[in-house]
Amino acid sequence: MDYNYLYRKLNNRTPLKNDCGKLCSNACCIDVDGDEMGMYLFPGEEEMFYGKEGFRVEETVLGAMDKKVKILFCKPYCKRSERPLACRIFPLFPYIDLMGELKIIIDPRGRPMCPLYKREICDLNGAFVRGVTHIGKILANDPECFDYLFSLSRYIDDYVRDVIDGLEKYI
């Protein structure tokens, strides 16, 4: 996968026409209660960060699926031009449904931190949404990336179920 190409496609595209980080004080980049924030890396993307100062790549297990994935930690902040793909597409995600169809969604995992979570995709910058859609199609056409997106989509499904179950306690 040519991550340099994917990065360039989103370099100047942002969810809003202004800096969305000003809405939340860059909440997606800040560790919470001592828990380090990291971003999942797409297959092979870790090669973009090996040897770069301020970055650390670790292997982790994705939810109950026991799928091993790489996660990137950056300290204190990375340069915008060095962000991983997951940061560049946030708060959107190229979701693969159970039928194998690609859908671009607002990632529900952003709910606790991102004020854009409450918006509709049509409220976001159109160039950004088109860029994420284009990149989602490229990723979905690569068998290894498709498998990764499918697995992460099931992880998102579990996250949504957990949120709903938690809310039912208050009903």
Side-chain angles (χ1 to χ4, degrees):
M1 183 61 57
D2 184 358
Y3 287 105
N4 282 314
Y5 171 78
L6 300 180
Y7 291 175
R8 281 192 312 274
K9 291 304 279 182
L10 289 175
N11 243 3
N12 297 316
R13 297 179 192 213
T14 56
L16 300 178
K17 292 188 180 186
N18 54 0
D19 183 357
C20 64
K22 291 181 180 176
L23 293 174
C24 61
S25 300
N26 297 317
C28 56
C29 295
I30 298 172
D31 295 342
V32 179
D33 298 328
D35 288 335
E36 256 189 313
M37 295 283 287
M39 295 301 277
Y40 292 122
L41 294 172
F42 286 81
E45 189 180 11
E46 68 275 6
E47 294 172 16
M48 304 293 290
F49 298 95
Y50 286 140
K52 280 192 174 181
E53 190 174 328
F55 293 100
R56 184 177 86 250
V57 176
E58 292 183 7
E59 190 168 84
T60 188
V61 176
L62 185 62
M65 301 183 77
D66 290 331
K67 183 175 182 62
K68 291 182 180 182
V69 296
K70 304 282 195 239
I71 191 166
L72 179 73
F73 299 96
C74 58
K75 292 292 172 234
Y77 293 102
C78 62
K79 295 177 189 170
R80 246 184 114 64
S81 61
E82 295 179 339
R83 293 171 297 155
L85 191 56
C87 292
R88 293 169 192 261
I89 66 175
F90 188 79
L92 300 182
F93 182 75
Y95 178 90
I96 305 291
D97 69 17
L98 292 172
M99 301 299 290
E101 298 295 319
L102 172 69
K103 298 175 183 337
I104 304 302
I105 64 166
I106 294 182
D107 193 333
R109 296 170 298 162
R111 180 177 172 262
M113 75 186 88
C114 182
L116 299 180
Y117 173 77
K118 298 174 186 163
R119 298 195 180 193
E120 299 292 329
I121 287 180
C122 62
D123 294 335
L124 300 179
N125 181 355
F128 173 72
V129 175
R130 286 189 301 278
V132 173
T133 301
H134 174 71
I135 284 168
K137 289 176 183 176
I138 291 170
L139 293 168
N141 281 323
D142 177 272
E144 190 176 12
C145 287
F146 180 91
D147 180 56
Y148 171 81
L149 289 172
F150 187 84
S151 295
L152 202 48
S153 296
R154 303 298 67 81
Y155 180 73
I156 288 170
D157 291 345
D158 290 344
Y159 174 85
V160 169
R161 261 191 301 281
D162 289 347
V163 169
I164 291 170
D165 290 346
L167 292 174
E168 287 176 349
K169 294 176 187 176
Y170 299 101
I171 298 174

